[in-house]
Amino acid sequence: MAFFPLKFSLLFLLTTITSFSLTTSTPTIGVTIQHHPFSATPEHISAAVNRNRIAAVRLIDPDPNLIRAFSYSSVSLLLCIPNTLVHSLAANRSNAAVWLYTHVVPFYPRANISAISVGSDILSSSDDLADALLPAIRNIHVALHELGIRRISVSSTFSLIPLITSAFPPSSAEFSEPLNEHLIRPLLDFLEEANSSFLVNIHPYDFYRLNHEVVLGYALFQKSRYSFVDDPTTGVRYQNLFDTLVDAVLSAMAVAGHENIPVVVTETGWPNAPAISEENNANQVFAEMYLRGLLKHLKSGVGTPLKKEGVSGVYIYELFDKERDQGNSNASFRQWGIFYPNLTSKYDLDYSRSYRNAESNGFWKILAVSLVVLALL
């Protein structure tokens, strides 16, 4: 009989652990590939991604050879269609089919293509794409279904700053007009109907540079007596700038009547080298600080103050720095890469989706010991 209290306690512990593991939600953690070293082959890039246990890749310029290199891999692929093709895709569904026959049909499902973004950041590149965007998205969506492919979602990618009126306080954020009525609401209607996600680029670094009242530690996930902001409307306290910006998007979506559509952060990061000498905070130390804080926050499963599930996916920008070639050897631009050209990581970080190593090791040790003791009783 003396064993029963111990056995009951262990069963309670196991139940608690199981309950904890089932109620936490960790988003998919991926990386964007926009540039890659001239010397790196698609196969080398794919191997480096798999070796570092990166679960998802967003391809800004989806080279068919690079897509093929991810065949028979669990890595999820988000393919981006260039802005230059939006008008032609909107004009004729056969153009959508041609693109799919080049970038999807030869590789799917051997390559785990999960989503397609029609255009990227069109608001910053060209306003005349707004009328063509939704027809282009619909044509890609219908063309996929005509090919019998129903597991690839279709959306478009937006950048935060031109998208919403103001990011603070998050509870008062709305989509900018007339963009909201003309494009965003109809797009959200489509995304909900098609069970797709809203894709948005969120760069705390840009917001920090534009708003001098933002404390650097708040942008870098550093906890201090000054690294928090309270929303005066809701009373919610924000501990980092990333959550503040995500909740601004969620609030704007709620105002538009679509608070249940999943949100994917398609770009976030911190530059490790500046475009101009005045950007003192664009350096490798702060870049690692931001990424370490971001990964720790995402893996904690706590979500954001307005949405405990948080975002469904986050893509770090970007895998490689932009290399200078003969044509732009004197050009100066920000560098965001997390890998060196030799395909090794710049930072000692775990990009996998698993819970934080320091805590998860103890977590699973407790579980293992509990199971052994239970087996002996």
Side-chain angles (χ1 to χ4, degrees):
M1 296 296 291
F3 288 108
F4 287 115
L6 175 60
K7 189 171 185 178
F8 177 80
S9 299
L10 289 170
L11 285 171
F12 177 78
L13 175 62
L14 287 173
T15 302
T16 303
I17 290 174
T18 304
S19 174
F20 173 82
S21 63
L22 290 176
T23 54
T24 56
S25 177
T26 304
T28 300
I29 299 172
V31 68
T32 290
I33 299 179
Q34 183 166 8
H35 315 98
H36 57 81
F38 305 129
S39 59
T41 67
E43 291 73 22
H44 289 154
I45 294 172
S46 173
V49 168
N50 281 283
R51 186 167 59 250
N52 285 272
R53 298 185 296 169
I54 297 172
V57 167
R58 171 174 170 251
L59 297 177
I60 295 290
D61 183 14
D63 176 4
N65 292 321
L66 189 53
I67 300 172
R68 181 184 293 107
F70 284 98
S71 296
Y72 306 106
S73 165
S74 62
V75 176
S76 173
L77 300 181
L78 192 167
L79 309 184
C80 298
I81 298 179
N83 293 343
T84 52
L85 296 181
V86 170
H87 277 301
S88 65
L89 295 176
N92 197 320
R93 193 182 303 162
S94 63
N95 293 332
V98 169
W99 191 90
L100 293 174
Y101 270 107
T102 303
H103 297 86
V104 175
V105 174
F107 317 112
Y108 181 84
R110 294 183 302 278
N112 184 20
I113 302 170
S114 61
I116 295 172
S117 172
V118 180
S120 297
D121 195 16
I122 67 161
L123 303 179
S124 301
S125 60
S126 177
D127 289 334
D128 66 358
L129 291 178
D131 290 336
L133 182 61
L134 191 53
I137 290 173
R138 290 189 181 278
N139 278 344
I140 287 289
H141 176 74
V142 172
L144 281 169
H145 281 225
E146 289 177 345
L147 291 168
I149 301 174
R150 300 178 181 274
R151 294 182 178 274
I152 298 178
S153 63
V154 186
S155 187
S156 186
T157 304
F158 297 90
S159 285
L160 174 71
I161 292 177
L163 184 65
I164 60 175
T165 53
S166 175
F168 193 85
S171 58
S172 65
E174 297 183 27
F175 293 119
S176 302
E177 295 291 357
L179 174 70
N180 179 37
E181 199 65 31
H182 180 61
L183 174 62
I184 301 301
R185 279 183 182 270
L187 174 63
L188 291 173
D189 289 339
F190 166 81
L191 295 180
E192 185 151 356
E193 175 188 338
N195 198 26
S196 297
S197 300
F198 188 72
L199 312 180
V200 60
N201 299 335
I202 293 180
H203 285 290
Y205 177 78
D206 292 337
F207 194 83
Y208 164 74
R209 291 196 71 233
L210 293 171
N211 297 271
H212 298 292
E213 68 275 13
V214 176
V215 177
L216 179 61
Y218 184 65
L220 293 173
F221 292 93
Q222 302 304 298
K223 293 184 178 180
S224 74
R225 59 186 299 182
Y226 304 111
S227 294
F228 69 87
V229 174
D230 293 332
D231 187 319
T233 304
T234 62
V236 170
R237 174 160 292 186
Y238 286 89
Q239 304 288 348
N240 63 77
L241 184 54
F242 178 81
D243 280 355
T244 306
L245 301 178
V246 169
D247 275 2
V249 175
L250 294 173
S251 294
M253 292 174 66
V255 172
H258 291 281
E259 64 271 20
N260 294 321
I261 295 175
V263 172
V264 174
V265 178
T266 38
E267 283 186 17
T268 192
W270 196 276
N272 59 68
I276 55 176
S277 58
E278 288 78 9
E279 292 186 75
N280 298 324
N281 295 318
N283 58 65
Q284 198 158 317
V285 173
F286 288 163
E288 181 174 5
M289 199 176 293
Y290 177 81
L291 293 174
R292 189 176 300 279
L294 173 71
L295 292 170
K296 179 179 179 181
H297 179 57
L298 296 176
K299 294 179 185 183
S300 71
V302 299
T304 71
L306 291 188
K307 190 172 185 179
K308 65 179 182 179
E309 299 87 359
V311 295
S312 59
V314 174
Y315 291 82
I316 295 169
Y317 186 81
E318 58 182 315
L319 191 61
F320 300 106
D321 288 332
K322 184 176 181 180
E323 288 191 330
R324 290 176 170 83
D325 55 28
Q326 294 179 350
N328 64 5
S329 58
N330 296 319
S332 182
F333 32 73
R334 292 177 191 161
Q335 299 286 18
W336 302 77
I338 61 174
F339 277 20
Y340 291 112
N342 65 0
L343 306 181
T344 60
S345 180
K346 292 182 180 179
Y347 315 113
D348 183 21
L349 297 174
D350 179 10
Y351 298 102
S352 70
R353 194 176 179 177
S354 60
Y355 196 69
R356 298 191 302 270
N357 285 343
E359 296 188 13
S360 63
N361 286 344
F363 175 91
W364 292 112
K365 284 178 182 177
I366 292 173
L367 178 60
V369 171
S370 301
L371 289 172
V372 170
V373 174
L374 273 176
L376 295 174
L377 292 179

